[in-house]
Amino acid sequence: MRGKKIGSVTVPQILHNLSNLAANVWEPFKAKYPSAVVTDTFRQDPPGGEHEQAQHGLGMAMDIQILGATPQIYYEAACWLRDNVPFDQLLQEKSGTSRW
């Protein structure tokens, strides 16, 4: 698997990206919000397709939920991320009563 490509990157590159994501984003966030859970990270749809997940497909994105959190807590968590964690894009999403 050393040089096998998935889309535009190799498997080792994806694993490196996931490792950086865990160390630089997930671990500090989990320390601040212990009830947080990762609901999704690496996923890949066909490149260039309607559902392409560019950052998820590179191992550079994760979806997080904070169990039992109110909208205010999600807002505070987004502000904490903004001020304390290096990132490229921050989305706060919801569907019905679910937030991530």
Side-chain angles (χ1 to χ4, degrees), residues 20-98:
N20 282 335
L21 184 64
N24 297 309
V25 178
W26 174 243
E27 289 177 11
F29 189 81
K30 182 69 171 175
K32 177 72 175 169
Y33 296 94
S35 66
V37 295
V38 174
T39 59
D40 193 13
T41 185
F42 178 77
R43 65 175 180 255
Q44 190 173 39
D45 288 311
E50 176 184 350
H51 302 289
E52 179 181 17
Q53 299 291 324
Q55 288 181 308
H56 279 279
L58 297 173
M60 299 173 76
M62 69 173 56
D63 296 347
I64 301 170
Q65 287 187 323
I66 306 170
L67 302 178
T70 63
Q72 180 62 32
I73 291 172
Y74 272 101
Y75 175 76
E76 291 169 8
C79 291
W80 185 87
L81 279 167
R82 176 196 66 206
D83 296 338
N84 294 282
V85 175
F87 65 89
D88 163 333
Q89 186 177 176
L90 175 63
L91 305 173
Q92 189 175 20
E93 300 178 306
K94 72 174 191 162
S95 177
T97 59
S98 295

Side-chain angles (χ1 to χ4, degrees), residues 1-14 42 44:
M1 261 214 241
R2 174 179 289 199
K4 180 176 165 95
K5 284 204 163 204
I6 298 179
S8 62
V9 295
T10 65
V11 171
Q13 288 170 319
I14 292 168
F42 178 77
Q44 190 173 39

